[in-house]
Amino acid sequence: MREKFQGDLATIAGLLVEMADAVRTAIRQATGALLHSDAEQAQQVILADQEIDAHYHNVEEKVYEVVALQAPVASDLRLVLTSLHIAGDLERMGDLAGHVAKTGLRRHPAPAVPEELTGVVREMATVADQMAGKISRVLSTPNVTRATELERDDDAMDDLHRRLLATILDASWSHGVEAAVDMALLARFYERYADHAVNAGQHVIYLITGKAQNE
Amino acid sequence: MREKFQGDLATIAGLLVEMADAVRTAIRQATGALLHSDAEQAQQVILADQEIDAHYHNVEEKVYEVVALQAPVASDLRLVLTSLHIAGDLERMGDLAGHVAKTGLRRHPAPAVPEELTGVVREMATVADQMAGKISRVLSTPNVTRATELERDDDAMDDLHRRLLATILDASWSHGVEAAVDMALLARFYERYADHAVNAGQHVIYLITGKAQNE
């Protein structure tokens, strides 16, 4: 029974790896679409988000099945239900990648990101990309150190967020209110993506060690 | 056993009612603090959010206990796990009320909301307040009609959101980029509050009817 349960947990972890890889691709492609005014790629990200949502439901179904068929003891139950938190965070990261893609579409074919912000947006996207990559790797190869790195990545994201806001609030900003509002919301999408990655990482640590990190 | 399970579900619904009432109070007080530059009330909202988070963990613990001790059959399991979705949405609504309160604190003692936007912000807060109230009432007295009203409320919120954006993007906007960015983010907090209320409402319908609304 215990072995069967471990196998089920591994299956669920495998589904979560696929989700993490999908949301990583999503934020990368969304940023590409945004910076290159590529409407076709933006649409692909929006379609891919539907697959990520479907993936989320698959994880949920698998978790329900394991709980119903195996009636795990309290500590194992907690472990398997943790994967719902991870899937929930990843699902939300997919949504946020979709919002990034839509930000590009709203201005298409004009570029959505003013020249002086393309650097910081690219850096935010790189941090987001790396964070999703770490979640995926830690799920496939348990490594608590790498999981805890996510909080440092989140600090880097916060710094980039502040840098972007400072640019749009500077007296030299010449792109008007609408572009400023769009860019502030865009920065928030990346920042929320990173927040969910940190949450997911904390739950992954619990999943792989059975111990909560921050409690 | 079945009776015991029904009793447990009622206990969980009771905890969710308390959470819904708390996030309703939170958005009301956060808006008051924001519109009256009341730093003390803003701090209360931020403190209350910690209680809402604790509440969320209580719901989670109770759900785990019920699942572990009673090993409900598949359909009942699905029902009890639905309450985790509702609690998750309510927890997030508490966070968003906290963000509204913090928007006021950032400008304190200056007013954060320019005069011409106080009306629309008050209307957004009223819709948010009513939505949380409906979740609470539907959880205590099952009523599918009232739960489905939440989507109409969400349409009203979207209209208000558009109205607020039109004001800050209008050529007559005289409050500069920073106030525009703050107000766009503020509108997003109310709008996300409403989105989570709609999600919670859909799960409440499942909880009270055993049938998913949108699947």
Side-chain angles (χ1 to χ4, degrees), chain A residues 56 60-61 78 85 192, chain B residues 56 60-61 78 85 92:
Chain A
Y56 172 70
E60 212 172 31
E61 288 306 311
R78 201 171 285 269
H85 283 291
R192 293 292 303 150
Chain B
Y56 173 69
E60 211 172 32
E61 289 305 312
R78 201 171 285 267
H85 282 290
R92 201 56 208 130

Side-chain angles (χ1 to χ4, degrees), chain A residues 22-68:
Chain A
V23 304
R24 183 184 194 183
T25 302
I27 198 72
R28 190 184 293 173
Q29 291 190 336
T31 307
L34 175 77
L35 293 176
H36 302 111
S37 303
D38 184 339
E40 204 177 311
Q41 191 162 44
Q43 293 294 357
Q44 275 173 25
V45 173
I46 293 163
L47 277 179
D49 186 40
Q50 294 175 8
E51 285 170 42
I52 292 167
D53 291 348
H55 229 105
Y56 172 70
H57 288 293
N58 291 343
V59 172
E60 212 172 31
E61 288 306 311
K62 182 68 193 169
V63 167
Y64 288 4
E65 183 195 309
V66 171
V67 174

Side-chain angles (χ1 to χ4, degrees), chain B residues 42-183:
Chain B
Q43 293 294 358
Q44 275 174 24
V45 173
I46 293 163
L47 277 179
D49 185 40
Q50 295 175 9
E51 285 170 43
I52 293 168
D53 291 349
H55 230 105
Y56 173 69
H57 288 293
N58 291 343
V59 173
E60 211 172 32
E61 289 305 312
K62 182 69 194 171
V63 167
Y64 288 4
E65 183 195 310
V66 171
V67 174
L69 294 182
Q70 304 230 34
V73 296
S75 61
D76 282 351
L77 174 68
R78 201 171 285 267
L79 214 53
V80 69
L81 290 180
T82 291
S83 47
L84 292 180
H85 282 290
I86 302 169
D89 281 313
L90 291 169
E91 189 270 329
R92 201 56 208 130
M93 288 160 76
D95 288 346
L96 290 159
H99 291 335
V100 169
K102 283 176 197 158
T103 302
L105 283 180
R106 264 203 309 280
R107 291 297 186 104
H108 190 266
V113 181
E115 182 92 28
E116 66 259 49
L117 288 180
T118 55
V120 66
V121 167
R122 201 167 273 131
E123 284 184 67
M124 292 182 102
T126 301
V127 174
D129 184 322
Q130 288 169 346
M131 292 178 90
K134 280 177 193 170
I135 294 172
S136 169
R137 278 202 300 280
V138 170
L139 280 164
S140 5
T141 315
N143 178 331
V144 173
T145 313
R146 181 164 286 149
T148 55
E149 279 173 26
L150 288 167
E151 296 196 27
R152 224 165 45 221
D153 295 332
D154 191 40
D155 291 339
M157 183 66 94
D158 288 343
D159 285 342
L160 292 165
H161 189 190
R162 269 189 290 273
R163 211 208 302 169
L164 184 146
L165 286 179
T167 305
I168 63 183
L169 299 179
D170 193 85
S172 66
W173 178 256
S174 62
H175 305 281
V177 170
E178 185 162 8
V181 165
D182 279 356
M183 292 303 100

Side-chain angles (χ1 to χ4, degrees), chain B residues 179-191:
Chain B
V181 165
D182 279 356
M183 292 303 100
L185 288 172
L186 178 69
R188 190 167 164 81
F189 300 148
Y190 286 109
E191 197 226 343

Side-chain angles (χ1 to χ4, degrees), chain A residues 94-160:
Chain A
D95 287 345
L96 290 159
H99 290 336
V100 169
K102 283 176 197 159
T103 301
L105 283 180
R106 264 202 308 279
R107 291 297 186 103
H108 189 266
V113 181
E115 182 93 29
E116 66 259 50
L117 287 181
T118 55
V120 66
V121 167
R122 202 168 270 130
E123 284 185 66
M124 290 182 103
T126 302
V127 174
D129 185 324
Q130 288 169 346
M131 291 178 90
K134 281 177 193 170
I135 293 172
S136 169
R137 281 203 300 281
V138 169
L139 280 164
S140 5
T141 316
N143 177 332
V144 173
T145 313
R146 182 165 286 149
T148 55
E149 279 173 25
L150 287 167
E151 296 196 27
R152 225 165 46 222
D153 294 331
D154 191 42
D155 292 339
M157 184 66 94
D158 288 342
D159 285 342
L160 292 165

